[in-house]
């Protein structure tokens, strides 16, 4: 029998992420012996070894790495099915609320684009209610995968578009945000080399998929923390040009001449059949001519992707 139960996947993913049976058992709220037995039964049923266990600890085999990747996706899919079904069902009741869409966004990023999108969509005759779910630096992708959101503004390269349909809405340059009193704040432009090794001002680090890259800069979790550390002269940050909207008067923004551009996409699950979501995507594509110019540098933005709209959306205009 090839089918796996969600309970088995939850057990395995916890062990694979913790690489420690005791911590995994605590995370799952269960005792360690039954967890160990459950993993052993899973290995026996699949006919492969998922974990290597020795005195140094626990590590994943090649098969275990595959199951971790596939198991995460499967658990996200089941959670998404439950959450989206629950949201959809609330509109089936007589006199119930109108359809609601949840859009995940990065807090304080792409603010002008988001405001234009919300205003334009609200003017549509059959517009659904929109709930804005603001998250941390890279949380939007996971929010979309596990169903907390129906649609998301994803910023590449910080988020992955794998498994989603998408349309590119905005291409922009990057800026260095520094303490206003720092010597480099007086510069008209800077290069990445000039800011990568400033002795008294290390670059801030934020997590990607829960992991911080190595480096001397402080680990930051949200924009408020980052803004305060910059104002105190403890760090600098490299952010999209649109992040100027959250800067304090203690900050200075200097364009970076050689930083790779960032691209904001609106993304959604490819299997969606929501007419409300189709309308939101259609509204977003109409904004492309207004948002395609690169912020700060004046260069034209790249072509947007031709991802398929949800059923009922109609043809998608594609710029060349």
């Amino acid at each position: 029998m090839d089918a796996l139960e969600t309970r088995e996947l939850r057990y395995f993913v916890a062990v694979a992420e913790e690489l420690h049976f005791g911590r995994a058992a605590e995370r799952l709220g269960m005792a360690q012996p039954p967890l160990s037995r459950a993993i052993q039964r899973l290995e026996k049923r699949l006919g492969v070894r998922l974990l290597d266990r020795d005195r140094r600890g626990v590590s994943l085999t090649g098969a275990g790495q595959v199951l971790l990747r596939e198991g995460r996706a499967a658990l996200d899919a089941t959670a998404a099915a439950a959450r989206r079904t629950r949201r959809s069902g609330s509109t089936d009741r007589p006199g119930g609320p109108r359809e609601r869409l949840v859009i995940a966004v990065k807090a304080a990023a792409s603010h002008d684009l988001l405001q234009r999108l919300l205003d334009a969509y609200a003017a549509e005759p059959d517009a659904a209610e929109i709930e804005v779910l603001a998250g941390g630096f890279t949380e939007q992708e996971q929010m979309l995968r596990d169903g907390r959101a129906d649609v998301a503004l994803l910023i590449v390269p910080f988020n992955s578009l794998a498994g989603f349909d998408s349309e590119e809405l905005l291409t922009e340059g990057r800026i260095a945000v520094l303490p206003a009193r720092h010597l480099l704040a007086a510069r008209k432009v800077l290069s990445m080399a000039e800011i990568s090794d400033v002795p008294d001002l290390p670059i801030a680090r934020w997590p990607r998929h829960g992991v911080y890259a190595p480096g001397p800069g402080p680990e930051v979790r949200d924009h408020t923390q980052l803004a305060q550390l910059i104002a105190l002269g403890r760090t600098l940050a490299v952010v999209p040009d649109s992040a100027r909207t959250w800067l304090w008067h203690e900050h200075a923004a200097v364009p970076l001449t050689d930083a790779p551009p960032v691209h904001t996409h609106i993304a959604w699950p490819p299997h969606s059949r929501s007419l409300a979501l189709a309308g939101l995507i259609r509204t977003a594509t109409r904004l492309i001519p207004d948002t395609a110019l690169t912020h700060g540098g004046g260069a034209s933005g790249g072509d947007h992707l031709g991802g398929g709209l949800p059923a009922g959306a109609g043809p998608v205009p594609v710029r060349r």
Side-chain angles (χ1 to χ4, degrees), residues 101-295:
L101 294 175
V102 179
I103 181 169
V105 301
K106 177 181 174 181
S110 305
H111 175 78
D112 292 340
L113 170 62
L114 177 61
Q115 189 64 67
R116 286 199 297 273
L117 174 59
L118 295 178
D119 289 346
Y121 181 66
E124 296 293 320
D126 298 321
E129 177 186 350
I130 299 293
E131 177 183 342
V132 177
L133 184 59
F137 293 109
T138 58
E139 293 176 345
Q140 298 70 40
E141 177 188 338
Q142 184 59 31
M143 290 175 176
L144 188 54
R145 294 194 190 280
D146 66 19
R148 283 176 288 170
D150 301 298
V151 61
L153 293 183
L154 300 185
I155 301 178
V156 177
F158 309 116
N159 295 117
S160 170
L161 298 173
F164 301 130
D165 282 344
S166 66
E167 290 286 338
E168 184 178 329
L169 301 180
L170 176 68
T171 298
E172 58 184 320
R174 301 195 207 188
I175 56 174
V177 181
L178 311 105
R181 63 182 182 273
H182 196 276
L183 289 175
L184 291 177
R187 296 281 297 275
K188 296 295 184 183
V189 295
L190 289 166
S191 68
M192 289 298 295
E194 289 174 307
I195 65 167
S196 62
D197 192 24
V198 181
D200 58 338
L201 210 61
I203 298 177
R205 296 176 294 136
W206 45 74
R208 296 188 66 176
H209 307 294
V211 178
Y212 286 93
E219 296 180 352
V220 294
R221 298 177 301 277
D222 56 54
H223 283 90
T224 301
Q225 180 192 23
L226 176 62
Q228 184 170 31
L229 289 173
I230 294 173
L232 292 172
R234 300 303 177 94
T235 190
L236 67 84
V238 177
V239 296
D241 188 84
S242 58
R244 292 174 184 267
T245 55
W246 59 261
L247 299 188
W248 300 357
H249 71 271
E250 294 99 331
H251 299 155
V254 182
L256 293 167
T257 58
D258 57 351
V262 295
H263 310 274
T264 300
H265 297 250
I266 188 167
W268 64 96
H271 56 269
S272 176
R273 295 297 180 267
S274 166
L275 294 180
L277 177 56
L280 179 65
I281 304 303
R282 198 164 46 235
T283 300
T285 61
R286 289 201 297 266
L287 295 178
I288 290 174
D290 296 328
T291 61
L293 291 182
T294 302
H295 281 243

